Amino acid sequence: MRYLPLTPEDRAEMLARIGVASVDELFVDIPADKRETALPRLALHKSELEVERTLARLAGQNVPAGSVPFFVGAGAYRHHVPATVDHLIQRSEFLTSYTPYQPEIAQGTLQYLFEFQTQVAELTAMEVANASMYDGSTAAAEAVLMAHRVTRRRKAVLAGNLHPHYRSTIETVSRYAADEVVALPPAPFGEEDLITPIDDTVSCVVVQSPDVFGNLVDLKPIAEAAHKAGALLVAVFTEAVALGLIEPPGAQGADIVVGEGQSIGNALNFGGPYVGLFATRQKFVRQMPGRLAGETVDAEGRRGFVLTLSTREQHIRREKATSNICTNSGLCALAFTIHMSLLGKTGLTRLARANHAAACDLADRLAAVKGASVVNDTFFNEFTLRVPGPAADVVEKLAAKGILAGVPYSRLAPKSGLDDLILVAATETTTEDDRAAYAAALKEVL
Amino acid sequence: MNREGRGATTPHSIALTGPQTFTGNRALDLEEGLIFEIGRTEVTGVDIPEPAPFRERLGTQARTAPLDLPGLSEPEAMRHYVRLSRMNYGIDSGLFPLGSCTMKHNPRLNEKMARLPGFADIHPLQPQSTVKGALGLMAELSRYLLELTGMQAVALTPKAGAHGELCGMMAIKAAHAARGDGATRHVVLVPESAHGTNPATAALIGYQVRSIPARADGTVDPEAVKSALGPEVAALMLTNPNTCGLFERDVVAIAEAVHGAGAYFYSDGANFNAILGKVRIADLGVDAMHINLHKTFSTPHGGGGPGAGPVVLSDALAPFAPVPALVATADGLALVEDEGAEGAQQALGRMSAFHGQMGMFVRALAWMLSHGADGMRQASEDAVLSANYIRASLMDLMSAPFAERPAMHEALFDDAWLAGTGLTTLDVAKALIDEGYHPMTVYFPLVVHGAMLIEPTESESKASLDLFIAALRDLAMAAKAGDKERFLGAPYYAPRRRLDETRAARAPVLRWVKPAPVADAAE
């Protein structure tokens, strides 16, 4: 076995030092009648070549996004990631390190987390951000729990235009914690009324912008109504690149901002690992879940970084902890921060414009197809296409023509009755030929 | 100057031979500023063409707020992050004996496989007919996990160990609700030697936590469990092997007592790597256990994440597995994504937006295939052998509680051997840094005073273990001989001396803030 350095002679010498005759004597605490004597019924070890063949065969049965005209979004987006990003995150000192519990030999991790926190705060126009969460949806669930702690209320109002999987993630946690959730029905065609349900029993209103249908939402009036009732505004986004071009939630009165950071620096990965972004106002920082890197000095007065405010955490407070989380998405946060450093304001703005331009062009082309219409007045890089009849069938027909055309809304919310809608995303990776091919194929299948 | 009024970088001042340098650097020992200090908003390291003129659809939502994000050209970015990386210690740098964290070798084959476009470049919501290989991989990983544990079902979606615990405990809560005793069973028993995530998880979903003390030998007493059980108890959460590095040898009696009282048995599988191929946890009476793929199956920890925490479930809990769930249909594998769908009627809900940590599934399966049934069992045996070897080699100089029992994959020491030296566990850890090692886990588990928990894993050669043992022996003798300066000043040779954690917590500085113009800085 190429991964195991001990030789039979080493093992014999080590057993002698311990004073046992065989390694089985070290497993005597496992009840004898429960100990496995036979090997697991699994294949024996394989060479590197054999493992590569086995996994490459499985990978070959999938259709990678880069191999076809590709328009699938709805919470995960295909962007071009500079080669530098993947090279740097594979530096073994980043890749194979652990949580920076010994800050003197983890300044690399701690400094990039501090940089990440600053970038996320700047992007969202918030005061502070944490060192990342599992993903956008779990960050949204934690935001609701945090709003409950801050307001000492236990009822959340969820926009109907929140991504249904985010809504479901929040609802699952809330159900088991016996918290109340008011989820509004989806409203793809018009502005939804989020203000009426807000009263003084509500801890937070959770609003997504761009919403799941792609509409851009003016958060200011909702923030005002929430604050008047003593509630918080939790703003959600699933496409971080959008914030390069649209007004950030922090500038519109949001109290907690959460979102998916996958689209900057990270691959699609069939759903994970991703990187949740979480930002809030300074006054709530001790109620914020997750890890935080903070600045301090060493014994010689040099600037350095440490994990801080750990008194909120599970390893100290146990059942009184702010959350049960004991990790983050460190490496995905690193990919985010490297890509963001390469972009800078100038690059991010250009990237966002390229995305918006591609989506506008695609929307115009698809809206021109007889029978199809675009439901949005506003959007960033994703919009909703209305087709005659079941959208799922249209998407399947287009897939058969080699075009991955988007996500039927009915796949996210089967019981919504909105079976004729397709969520369509275009990014800078979408070429003009791809967009033309989509319009031509749509014309054929409708 | 930042807002704390300190310079961005200050030179090293370690009293080593040689002059102070102009830059403050010492040859390859380089300082590196923050991107906010070296980057500029007008610089970018990517070339993105300006699109042809088009009609914007942003409505009133075009960004007006400032966006003060510095950019770096590609060479500047390379240097910045390469320099930062050199201030980090990873498992590829040397022995990383963090107990309970399982820092084992991360094979690069796994990274290569996870980056195949067929895995990395597929979208969670593209048509299922276009991701048959991904579903096949999830099925194969499930088969391996079920064979290794003997359990009935696996939920792949949880994104980390603590998330897996949450999933398992939600399944338990759902099962109680389904059988009608959900309202009365509001207590979860958690031994005091448990991981801190266990009580936090139980509390998060509304359970009252009742602690079970450890007995003198460091394990849980089945009699203590029996006396704590009652009709109000929903579950027991047991870490096995436990955080003292011991196998809970009365686990079967504990499981029987728990089941006898109508409760479920949750096992924290963080230390599964010690028993892989040696015992199937289903045979011990476990109802649910999360498996930290990153620990047992070597997916890289990446500075603290991402992890992956699939949960294996017994017959009793299998119907409550969350969505999305992988099912076999007449047409092949399919993902059931909706809670109300056929095949998911009793699903506990959804844990996150998509299917879980696919990138970690690929890495874990690559490790499993590379080791095979024979190599996985050998890995457990070598991990346990190495831990006991370290303990046996240090017993005469350092104090080891519970040493009458074999250790599992980690060797636990306390600080009794430091009595009278004026030194603490933390001092020993910091001195170990100067010897070129990442320190062991310190002050955990909480049940042992000044704990030092050493987990060498199966990845270390005997020569590597012997050198580490020799270094620790030298430190132990120096401590007892009164060489306090070596410890209290440590680390001397790290990128930073000891950092002031109290200051960081008292007045948290959590982001960079642009310094005020010099004219306004009244100093």
Side-chain angles (χ1 to χ4, degrees):
Chain A
M1 244 318 290
R2 62 191 182 280
Y3 298 146
L4 301 176
L6 296 181
T7 65
E9 295 74 29
D10 291 335
R11 293 184 183 113
E13 282 176 41
M14 291 163 71
L15 288 169
R17 168 93 54 95
I18 297 164
V20 295
S22 79
V23 76
D24 280 332
E25 287 183 42
L26 300 175
F27 289 88
V28 289
D29 280 346
I30 300 178
D33 60 328
K34 307 294 182 192
R35 239 175 285 159
E36 281 295 303
T37 49
L39 284 178
R41 286 166 298 177
L42 298 167
L44 299 184
H45 70 272
K46 284 184 164 63
S47 70
E48 182 159 335
L49 177 62
E50 289 172 296
V51 176
E52 269 195 62
R53 275 188 191 140
T54 304
L55 292 175
R57 199 166 53 239
L58 282 168
Q61 294 167 17
N62 302 323
V63 178
S67 67
V68 288
F70 187 84
F71 305 92
V72 187
Y77 298 89
R78 182 166 195 271
H79 293 287
H80 178 256
V81 178
T84 305
V85 174
D86 196 46
H87 175 84
L88 285 169
I89 68 166
Q90 289 197 73
R91 292 275 303 178
S92 75
E93 303 90 336
F94 288 136
L95 185 73
T96 75
S97 58
Y98 195 70
T99 300
Y101 288 139
Q102 298 289 342
E104 297 86 358
I105 48 173
Q107 285 299 299
T109 294
L110 287 157
Q111 183 168 330
Y112 83 62
L113 291 177
F114 187 81
E115 293 177 349
F116 171 84
Q117 289 169 189
T118 308
Q119 284 174 330
V120 173
E122 189 64 36
L123 187 66
T124 56
M126 298 297 283
E127 288 165 353
V128 289
N130 73 13
S132 79
M133 313 286 282
Y134 305 142
D135 73 350
S137 64
T138 52
E142 288 288 341
V144 170
L145 296 177
M146 175 174 153
H148 292 347
R149 287 193 296 276
V150 168
T151 61
R152 298 172 188 275
R153 301 174 185 173
R154 304 185 67 171
K155 180 164 130 187
V157 173
L158 311 187
N161 291 359
L162 183 62
H163 192 299
H165 289 176
Y166 280 54
R167 185 173 70 220
S168 176
T169 303
I170 295 169
E171 282 173 338
T172 299
V173 172
S174 298
R175 188 157 68 241
Y176 289 86
D179 295 334
E180 196 183 337
V181 169
V182 180
L184 304 183
F189 305 107
E191 291 193 6
E192 49 177 340
D193 174 18
L194 281 159
I195 291 173
T196 307
I198 303 173
D199 61 30
D200 62 7
T201 66
V202 169
S203 78
C204 62
V205 191
V206 184
V207 192
Q208 182 179 329
S209 179
D211 68 21
V212 71
F213 300 103
N215 303 305
L216 304 184
V217 182
D218 183 357
L219 300 175
K220 287 189 288 293
I222 307 164
E224 263 171 45
H227 294 156
K228 212 156 113 191
L232 305 186
L233 176 66
V234 175
V236 179
F237 57 89
T238 62
E239 168 57 291
V241 175
L243 297 176
L245 209 54
I246 70 168
E247 191 72 326
Q252 303 190 65
D255 300 285
I256 304 173
V257 179
V258 292
E260 179 54 66
Q262 170 271 332
S263 59
I264 296 183
N266 288 277
L268 289 169
N269 282 323
F270 200 48
Y274 287 177
V275 48
L277 310 183
F278 198 115
T280 189
R281 306 204 172 279
Q282 182 75 36
K283 64 180 172 183
F284 300 138
V285 72
R286 284 170 203 272
Q287 294 299 334
M288 179 159 59
R291 281 198 181 138
L292 289 166
E295 185 184 316
T296 188
V297 293
D298 79 350
E300 295 175 353
R302 290 175 296 177
R303 177 172 71 186
F305 303 92
V306 294
L307 289 182
T308 194
L309 299 185
S310 62
T311 46
R312 308 162 299 133
E313 288 181 19
Q314 38 75 26
H315 63 272
I316 298 189
R317 297 251 295 167
R318 296 175 77 83
E319 68 265 31
K320 294 186 187 71
T322 302
S323 78
N324 72 330
I325 293 171
C326 80
T327 186
N328 63 341
S329 280
L331 203 67
C332 300
L334 175 62
F336 179 101
T337 202
I338 296 171
H339 194 182
M340 192 62 100
S341 300
L342 283 164
L343 288 166
K345 176 190 179 173
T346 303
L348 181 67
T349 307
R350 284 185 195 156
L351 176 64
R353 276 185 65 75
N355 272 258
H356 188 45
C360 288
D361 175 65
L362 181 64
D364 289 343
R365 287 171 188 265
L366 297 184
V369 175
K370 191 163 175 273
S373 58
V374 170
V375 308
N376 313 64
D377 291 330
T378 59
F379 57 85
F380 170 62
N381 69 353
E382 186 164 24
F383 55 86
T384 298
L385 188 70
R386 192 176 197 184
V387 293
D393 293 349
V394 173
V395 168
E396 282 298 332
K397 281 180 193 161
L398 290 167
K401 288 181 170 295
I403 288 165
L404 300 187
V407 181
Y409 184 71
S410 60
R411 181 168 175 184
L412 302 177
K415 288 180 279 289
S416 63
L418 298 168
D419 293 348
D420 57 354
L421 303 180
I422 308 175
L423 312 180
V424 181
T427 72
E428 81 286 356
T429 66
T430 319
T431 64
E432 195 174 346
D433 286 350
D434 291 343
R435 301 192 290 266
Y438 190 169
L442 184 67
K443 202 170 172 182
E444 286 174 35
V445 305
L446 288 192
Chain B
M1 303 289 268
N2 64 12
R3 74 174 184 190
E4 295 292 292
R6 293 188 301 279
T9 57
T10 51
H12 281 222
S13 62
I14 303 169
L16 298 175
T17 55
Q20 287 291 336
T21 57
F22 169 74
T23 55
N25 294 330
R26 298 180 69 88
L28 291 175
D29 186 1
L30 306 172
E31 289 293 325
E32 183 65 13
L34 292 161
I35 49 174
F36 311 100
E37 293 157 348
I38 61 177
R40 286 147 293 161
T41 52
E42 62 273 21
V43 172
T44 180
V46 293
D47 289 321
I48 297 165
E50 179 63 22
F54 65 101
R55 183 168 66 89
E56 292 188 5
R57 314 288 169 83
L58 298 175
T60 60
Q61 289 293 299
R63 183 160 183 144
T64 59
L67 185 59
D68 193 7
L69 288 170
L72 301 172
S73 65
E74 190 171 307
E76 289 174 302
M78 281 299 290
R79 276 197 194 145
H80 177 68
Y81 290 101
V82 165
R83 286 176 174 175
L84 287 190
S85 76
R86 293 168 47 165
M87 289 190 256
N88 257 12
Y89 192 103
I91 184 62
D92 293 346
S93 318
L95 183 68
F96 207 130
L98 264 184
S100 208
C101 301
T102 312
M103 297 297 288
K104 60 172 70 176
H105 172 59
N106 301 140
R108 289 312 189 275
L109 171 63
N110 305 357
E111 295 303 307
K112 186 177 173 187
M113 295 299 95
R115 285 171 171 79
L116 291 172
F119 295 134
D121 194 26
I122 53 173
H123 191 287
L125 295 171
Q126 68 186 68
Q128 291 194 19
S129 58
T130 65
V131 290
K132 287 186 187 306
L135 302 183
L137 183 128
M138 290 166 76
E140 189 66 351
L141 177 71
S142 301
R143 185 173 76 84
Y144 267 72
L145 294 176
L146 294 178
E147 172 59 29
L148 291 169
T149 59
M151 301 289 279
Q152 296 303 310
V154 56
L156 291 176
T157 57
K159 292 191 157 280
H163 205 220
E165 276 177 39
L166 186 61
C167 177
M169 292 305 292
M170 283 178 175
I172 286 171
K173 201 166 190 183
H176 279 303
R179 74 183 202 198
D181 60 358
T184 52
R185 294 187 181 268
H186 52 84
V187 171
V188 168
L189 307 182
V190 183
E192 61 183 11
S193 62
H195 287 132
T197 50
N198 293 176
T201 296
L204 185 64
I205 55 170
Y207 282 121
Q208 192 186 319
V209 174
R210 189 178 292 168
S211 190
I212 308 275
R215 63 185 163 192
D217 73 352
T219 59
V220 175
D221 183 351
E223 294 309 315
V225 172
K226 279 178 200 158
S227 61
L229 281 165
E232 76 284 11
V233 174
L236 168 86
M237 299 179 84
L238 185 73
T239 304
N240 192 22
N242 70 22
T243 55
C244 299
L246 304 170
F247 190 85
E248 293 285 353
R249 62 186 200 280
D250 293 312
V251 58
V252 175
I254 292 168
E256 280 169 6
V258 167
H259 289 149
Y264 291 103
F265 178 19
Y266 187 89
S267 184
D268 178 315
N271 298 332
F272 185 51
N273 62 308
I275 55 173
L276 195 62
K278 301 299 286 184
V279 62
R280 294 175 2 136
I281 56 114
D283 298 337
L284 304 175
V286 169
D287 290 300
M289 182 180 88
H290 72 269
I291 297 170
N292 302 67
L293 293 185
H294 45 292
K295 293 187 182 187
T296 302
F297 305 110
S298 86
T299 73
H301 290 70
V311 180
V312 288
L313 300 165
S314 65
D315 261 334
L317 297 182
F320 305 100
V323 291
L326 192 64
V327 295
T329 70
D331 302 332
L333 295 167
L335 276 169
V336 175
E337 295 175 302
D338 181 44
E339 289 171 54
E342 197 180 333
Q345 289 94 343
Q346 287 182 285
L348 65 83
R350 176 178 279 275
M351 301 293 297
S352 68
F354 303 120
H355 325 315
Q357 308 287 59
M358 180 67 182
M360 301 299 138
F361 301 164
V362 180
R363 290 171 174 89
L365 187 62
W367 189 93
M368 291 168 155
L369 294 172
S370 298
H371 280 76
D374 48 339
M376 285 194 272
R377 186 163 73 174
Q378 187 70 57
S380 307
E381 290 182 355
D382 286 356
V384 171
L385 178 64
S386 298
N388 282 281
Y389 181 65
I390 286 177
R391 191 172 73 173
S393 304
L394 294 169
M395 287 269 281
D396 58 327
L397 283 172
M398 293 165 59
S399 44
F402 319 126
E404 63 279 8
R405 310 298 317 171
M408 294 307 283
H409 58 301
E410 46 199 4
L412 177 62
F413 297 92
D414 61 21
D415 61 359
W417 64 281
L418 286 170
T421 63
L423 299 174
T424 65
T425 291
L426 188 70
D427 298 324
V428 175
K430 298 303 184 193
L432 205 47
I433 291 175
D434 285 335
E435 299 296 330
Y437 290 107
H438 194 286
M440 66 293 267
T441 292
V442 292
Y443 302 107
F444 179 85
L446 304 174
V447 286
V448 170
H449 196 270
M452 306 177 197
L453 191 62
I454 300 176
E455 180 174 6
T457 81
E458 73 276 11
S459 303
E460 299 302 323
S461 69
K462 182 166 175 295
S464 164
L465 295 173
D466 285 339
L467 191 60
F468 176 67
I469 289 163
L472 260 176
R473 290 187 68 83
D474 188 70
L475 283 176
M477 286 186 285
K480 290 178 181 185
D483 184 5
K484 286 172 74 166
E485 205 39 42
R486 180 169 170 193
F487 294 87
L488 295 176
Y492 288 94
Y493 307 129
R496 286 291 178 274
R497 303 289 296 276
R498 273 191 222 194
L499 287 148
D500 187 346
E501 305 202 24
T502 310
R503 173 183 175 141
R506 200 181 301 129
V509 178
L510 305 174
R511 61 172 291 180
W512 183 82
V513 176
K514 192 179 244 176
V518 176
D520 299 345
E523 286 189 45

